[in-house]
Amino acid sequence: MRTEISADKVKGDFLEKVEELSGQSIWACYQCGCCSSGCPVAEEMDLLPNQVIRYVQLGLEEELLSSKTIWLCASCFQCFSRCPRGIDISKIMDALRQMAMEGGVDRFGPVEISPSELAKAPQQVLVTVVRKLSA
Amino acid sequence: MKLPYYPGCTLKDRTSQLEATALAAAEKLGIQLEEMPNWTCCGAVYPVSETKIVNLVAPFRILKEVSEAGSDKLVTICDFCYNVLKRANLAIHEDPVKRQRMNAFLQDDDRRWAASGQQVGEGQEYDGGVTVLHYLQMLREELGFDVMAKAVEKPLSGLKVAPYYGCNLLRPPAEMEFDDPENPRIMEDFLEHIGASVVESPYRIECCGSFLSLSSPEAARRLSHNILESARKSGADAIMLSCPMCFYNLEQKQKEFGQHFPGFRPMPVFFFTQLLALALGLDPQVLGFERHFVDPIPLLKERELV
């Protein structure tokens, strides 16, 4: 996908909405990359955690809401734990998921859990996966 | 010592061996864990979105009930329950808007319960005064590891165990205040006090993949396999953990590892309460190893512990 950066996007209300939903200050990030270096699922991601924040700063809503990354964050809080600026990136990921779900995307709902998982998986996994990835 | 206890869903079903061993060990140590008369699901994940404040209601109700029953402490074992209850409690304590909204919501709730003839609390405001304790903290801070050590009948000599912390006990550190987030010690101290040999492995604070084992199984498998291999390369016989979700990913999922990772050798995984029960000399019936995919009995026999 071609990524277009424009003054309109930067000045749009996307960043404000992400800040409102996540309670995090997006401009606090100075792109050190600590989050991405410690992220256990960075290998599977199409956008690294620090890039996610940069994209929010640039108002790249479409790219973010269609990324794989927002559905791969497992909320392990390693990024938050190590962020020198105190940004809880898992909250930003959840805010982006919430926006994608409000737009009609449902990444993983109860019907997608296989019968064999349903028979063995702990209740806490079943509740968590649905709460995190389904509207 | 008497303490109120919140079990959570998973300990009542899929990992009942965790609860059984925790309760039996507590009894042996002279701690009465009294299960709350009314409890609901804690919500499993702390509601991070600022607009989803309603998701705080479940943990709030649980904590308020503890306070109304006259206690200022609550013990729980599952890492997710601990994380949710502790963070929700802190939010209620520190954020006056959340506190007010939760209390207002629960007053309506109380009225509905009263209308249906149920007993309800006294309708007092709850301000986050309960201290949420993980079972490990209870052992260290309420009982004392040294007192626990004196009750050990069968030190786990020769058993080389790699502690695995995972995420929810330690992080976010400013809210959890459980241990040093990069170099925790509580599990190592626990193991030393029950006579086991501690093996430090570099992946002990890495994520096991959590719920991704259902939605992105290949990613979760990679993470869990890394943790197991890291423990093996560090010289461990087994892994010890506390979270039912980690147990699922690191233990139950080993069944699938052989086909994805050639040469994979299964490794026993213990809940910390199972090792405690073993060291306290409790009836092996309580250990619940029949629920494990990797039977730890051959290893325990080899070390002459059963």
Side-chain angles (χ1 to χ4, degrees):
Chain A
M1 186 167 65
R2 212 169 111 245
T3 301
E4 182 200 316
I5 299 169
S6 72
D8 284 350
K9 284 185 187 173
V10 176
K11 289 176 187 157
D13 56 5
F14 174 66
L15 185 146
E16 253 171 56
K17 177 137 200 233
V18 175
E19 287 197 332
E20 189 194 324
L21 289 174
S22 66
Q24 303 303 299
S25 173
I26 300 296
W27 289 110
C29 172
Y30 52 31
Q31 291 292 315
C32 67
C34 276
C35 50
S36 302
S37 68
C39 177
V41 271
E43 194 173 313
E44 280 83 5
M45 287 175 168
D46 46 4
L47 288 175
L48 294 171
N50 69 300
Q51 290 178 307
V52 166
I53 300 188
R54 192 71 186 127
Y55 272 45
V56 178
Q57 289 171 342
L58 294 172
L60 300 172
E61 178 173 358
E62 209 188 314
E63 286 81 354
L64 283 164
L65 300 193
S66 61
S67 73
K68 286 198 282 181
T69 291
I70 59 173
W71 308 105
L72 280 164
C73 168
S75 296
C76 78
F77 313 115
Q78 191 65 277
C79 51
F80 180 28
S81 178
R82 290 175 180 168
C83 175
R85 304 288 288 158
I87 305 169
D88 187 345
I89 298 156
S90 68
K91 285 190 174 175
I92 295 169
M93 296 290 189
D94 265 30
L96 295 169
R97 281 175 195 174
Q98 200 176 323
M99 290 167 85
M101 289 192 276
E102 279 164 6
V105 182
D106 219 6
R107 166 67 179 82
F108 192 86
V111 291
E112 281 154 288
I113 302 172
S114 73
S116 65
E117 296 279 9
L118 209 51
K120 292 218 80 165
Q123 281 73 9
Q124 116 204 61
V125 182
L126 304 172
V127 176
T128 305
V129 74
V130 172
R131 279 193 103 160
K132 282 285 188 189
L133 303 181
S134 174
Chain B
M1 188 192 328
K2 241 193 238 181
L3 290 164
Y5 159 60
Y6 172 83
C9 328
T10 307
L11 271 70
K12 290 292 176 189
D13 184 37
R14 300 281 156 92
T15 59
S16 55
Q17 72 270 41
L18 174 54
E19 180 176 59
T21 46
L23 295 180
E27 197 188 332
K28 178 87 196 251
L29 293 167
I31 306 165
Q32 264 178 278
L33 287 180
E34 294 190 320
E35 185 175 324
M36 296 176 63
N38 290 313
W39 58 266
T40 60
C41 172
C42 66
V45 278
Y46 182 73
V48 292
S49 170
E50 293 296 315
T51 60
K52 290 200 169 170
I53 195 166
V54 70
N55 291 353
L56 277 173
V57 169
F60 179 80
R61 185 190 283 120
I62 292 161
L63 293 157
K64 185 169 181 254
E65 278 198 23
V66 173
S67 171
E68 280 172 356
S71 300
D72 59 358
K73 283 176 186 147
L74 176 66
V75 175
T76 191
I77 307 172
C78 164
D79 292 15
F80 274 63
C81 301
Y82 173 64
N83 189 285
V84 170
L85 291 169
K86 185 143 182 184
R87 296 180 75 186
N89 199 49
L90 193 70
I92 293 154
H93 191 64
E94 292 191 341
D95 184 336
V97 177
K98 285 191 176 117
R99 181 162 69 235
Q100 206 182 351
R101 287 180 73 181
M102 284 301 110
N103 275 298
F105 190 89
L106 261 273
Q107 267 174 11
D108 282 351
D109 197 54
D110 281 351
R111 275 197 286 277
R112 274 196 295 278
W113 280 95
S116 67
Q118 300 279 334
Q119 274 220 315
V120 294
E122 290 160 30
Q124 282 165 347
E125 291 251 313
Y126 176 63
D127 66 356
V130 169
T131 303
V132 181
L133 291 170
H134 188 265
Y135 192 99
L136 272 169
Q137 287 176 309
M138 175 194 80
L139 291 174
R140 186 180 62 185
E141 286 142 37
E142 303 294 314
L143 181 76
F145 276 163
D146 47 341
V147 177
M148 175 185 80
K150 282 188 192 123
V152 168
E153 289 179 9
K154 207 162 48 175
L156 306 183
S157 317
L159 193 65
K160 290 179 279 181
V161 185
Y164 173 69
Y165 287 85
C167 312
N168 279 281
L169 285 179
L170 299 169
R171 299 187 286 268
E175 289 166 67
M176 298 312 291
E177 290 186 317
F178 179 79
D179 207 334
D180 183 327
E182 298 290 346
N183 193 21
R185 283 292 313 167
I186 189 168
M187 285 188 171
E188 285 78 1
D189 288 347
F190 167 82
L191 280 168
E192 279 164 9
H193 281 86
I194 58 171
S197 304
V198 175
V199 177
E200 274 196 32
S201 94
Y203 278 69
R204 72 201 167 114
I205 63 164
E206 291 290 316
C207 177
C208 70
S210 188
F211 61 86
L212 297 181
S213 58
L214 268 58
S215 57
S216 304
E218 54 304 309
R221 206 154 40 222
R222 178 177 67 78
L223 300 180
S224 292
H225 181 253
N226 281 346
I227 293 161
L228 288 162
E229 282 305 298
S230 152
R232 177 183 317 288
K233 283 175 190 156
S234 306
D237 294 328
I239 282 180
M240 178 190 84
L241 46 71
S242 128
C243 176
M245 175 107 76
C246 304
F247 182 80
Y248 185 63
N249 289 342
L250 291 175
E251 209 279 348
Q252 304 276 291
K253 288 278 175 183
Q254 285 191 42
K255 194 175 177 183
E256 301 164 13
F257 283 9
Q259 72 197 74
H260 295 281
F261 306 106
F264 174 76
R265 280 173 299 153
M267 175 183 267
V269 177
F270 295 101
F271 282 116
F272 72 103
T273 52
Q274 290 174 312
L275 293 181
L276 179 59
L278 196 64
L280 293 174
L282 298 177
D283 183 352
Q285 294 276 328
V286 81
L287 298 171
F289 291 148
E290 65 281 357
R291 303 206 80 155
H292 291 220
F293 168 67
V294 186
D295 183 5
I297 295 289
L299 166 67
L300 295 175
K301 276 191 177 151
E302 201 184 306
R303 299 285 183 273
E304 294 172 6
L305 295 167
V306 285

